[in-house]
Amino acid sequence: MSKHKKNTRAVSNAVFVAVAVILIIIAAVGFALYATKPSTTSTVTTTVPTTVVSTVTTPGMTTTSTQTVTATQTVTSTQTQTVTSTLTKPVTVNSSGAFYNGQVITFQYTAQFMCTPPATTFFPNETNQSKAAMGCEVGAGNISAFPKNAAPVFVLVPAFAGLSIFGPTQLNATPQGFPTFTYNNVTYVITTQCGAAGTMTACPDHMTYIYSPAFTAVEQALGIKNGVFNLPEGVLPTPAHDHLVTFTTNQSIPWYIVVVLVFDPNIFPNPITGQCQAIVPSNTTNPTANCLNNIQALENAMMTYDSAVGMANAKNPIWTTLVNTDLQVVVPGITSPSQLMSATNSNMVLYFSDPAIYPYPI
């Protein structure tokens, strides 16, 4: 068998460094702290034998005597020692990239996430799961429970990359938290606007763990009955993902999450350029026509069957368990594009503004 090669998907080495700088949300900043130890005083006592010669002269006679005496000398010295140590403190960058109308824009996070109503409202028997996931779930939702001015943010999960989307290197994710996808003996690193939770590229103010009955189904299909990573069954880290919105604003507002599972690698956008690359052969005239950098493309992809999907996901347990059709994307619980703006499939809310500015250094 030929050895797999690793290529970065549509990202040059130089560009990958740039995205790593921005997508990595933990930056190390060194602060030098100077600590001076208290002064120490030491006393040294030295005893030195000394010979004293004395001469006594009397009329007619001179007497000389020799006497040995001991002289004691005390020397006191003070020593001061200065020790320099360095403390490294993490700095969180409260922003990430997103897609709007074919452009790459910025999310600026302003508050902690919210999950409402809690997962047990929809899944009353999953109390341990809800506790581990801080009440956050994918699989059901109630828009009326969200803040009145909440808008949808479509979370694009590269589900074609299989279990590597969840971040552990033992599942073939990179050490940075990006998923990988292998086709025709070539392995591609799928860089995303947010790496998997718990990794250096995870986005701020996102939930760490999520419960989903879909996760449970995949675990059971793999013969896993008691969960993984010391988590309850059906609870996994927030997967690596991109964002898609339908408008921009300089004001921070609540956004409710609609999860989109992307099974066609040809339409998953590059996080820096917003463009797509054809990786897997397709029976469509233009394999990247539905590049998911705008809402119209998402609506089209929901209704588009492509042979690339079956070829890309033949060994993917997420696809074989949950979907097993050639649709380019699947929005769990939402079957029609007309429902995208009026329904949800999660109870998760993020808070951010999304100004139409490019988020990465040029």
Side-chain angles (χ1 to χ4, degrees):
M1 180 180 295
S2 61
K3 186 176 181 181
H4 288 193
K5 299 180 293 181
K6 285 197 174 183
N7 295 329
T8 301
R9 180 173 181 256
V11 183
S12 67
N13 289 337
V15 174
F16 180 79
V17 171
V19 70
V21 170
I22 295 302
L23 296 180
I24 294 176
I25 64 169
I26 301 297
V29 179
F31 294 89
L33 301 180
Y34 298 93
T36 301
K37 290 186 177 180
S39 299
T40 58
T41 301
S42 60
T43 301
V44 178
T45 301
T46 305
T47 301
V48 181
T50 303
T51 300
V52 179
V53 178
S54 60
T55 302
V56 179
T57 303
T58 59
M61 182 178 62
T62 299
T63 303
T64 301
S65 64
T66 301
Q67 184 180 9
T68 300
V69 298
T70 300
T72 300
Q73 182 180 19
T74 300
V75 178
T76 301
S77 62
T78 301
Q79 292 182 331
T80 300
Q81 184 178 11
T82 300
V83 178
T84 301
S85 61
T86 300
L87 174 65
T88 300
K89 299 180 67 176
V91 174
T92 301
V93 180
N94 289 320
S95 64
S96 72
F99 301 122
Y100 162 69
N101 198 26
Q103 302 174 5
V104 183
I105 63 169
T106 301
F107 279 5
Q108 295 177 342
Y109 301 98
T110 57
Q112 179 69 296
F113 65 86
M114 175 177 67
C115 293
T116 183
T120 49
T121 301
F122 306 106
F123 310 103
N125 295 327
E126 311 299 342
T127 54
N128 290 336
Q129 285 82 347
S130 180
K131 182 178 179 180
M134 298 181 66
C136 302
E137 56 79 27
V138 173
N142 180 4
I143 286 184
S144 64
F146 299 148
K148 291 183 179 180
N149 61 333
V153 53
F154 300 97
V155 170
L156 309 177
V157 179
F160 60 86
L163 300 178
S164 69
I165 61 176
F166 296 109
T169 54
Q170 59 264 45
L171 296 180
N172 297 321
T174 70
Q176 294 77 25
F178 295 126
T180 61
F181 168 69
T182 300
Y183 179 76
N184 198 24
N185 291 328
V186 177
T187 296
Y188 301 86
V189 175
I190 310 301
T191 51
T192 52
Q193 291 160 347
C194 293
T199 70
M200 65 178 68
T201 56
C203 282
D205 297 324
H206 279 51
M207 49 294 302
T208 302
Y209 300 113
I210 300 173
Y211 166 72
S212 176
F215 296 165
T216 299
V218 173
E219 289 176 354
Q220 291 182 350
L222 294 171
I224 300 171
K225 305 299 182 181
N226 296 307
V228 294
F229 311 128
N230 295 318
L231 295 169
E233 185 180 58
V235 177
L236 289 171
T238 296
H241 60 274
D242 285 350
H243 308 108
L244 173 65
V245 291
T246 59
F247 66 92
T248 63
T249 175
N250 291 324
Q251 301 297 318
S252 176
I253 65 171
W255 301 76
Y256 63 87
I257 289 177
V258 179
V259 175
V260 178
L261 302 180
V262 182
F263 289 105
D264 188 346
N266 297 334
I267 64 171
F268 195 79
N270 180 291
I272 300 175
T273 66
Q275 302 305 304
C276 292
Q277 175 188 7
I279 297 176
V280 180
S282 167
N283 63 341
T284 63
T285 304
N286 183 358
T288 64
N290 291 332
C291 187
L292 296 172
N293 56 25
N294 64 89
I295 189 63
Q296 185 62 55
L298 174 57
E299 293 175 352
N300 293 340
M302 289 181 67
M303 308 303 293
T304 301
Y305 291 85
D306 191 328
S307 61
V309 173
M311 288 187 284
N313 294 275
K315 297 181 180 180
N316 178 2
I318 299 175
W319 183 75
T320 57
T321 302
L322 303 179
V323 182
N324 206 22
T325 69
D326 283 348
L327 280 172
Q328 290 182 313
V329 304
V330 172
V331 185
I334 299 177
T335 57
S336 170
S338 63
Q339 298 174 302
L340 282 177
M341 304 302 296
S342 60
T344 186
N345 53 20
S346 85
N347 69 342
M348 298 179 287
V349 177
L350 300 177
Y351 291 85
F352 57 85
S353 61
D354 65 334
I357 57 177
Y358 189 70
Y360 306 121
I362 299 176

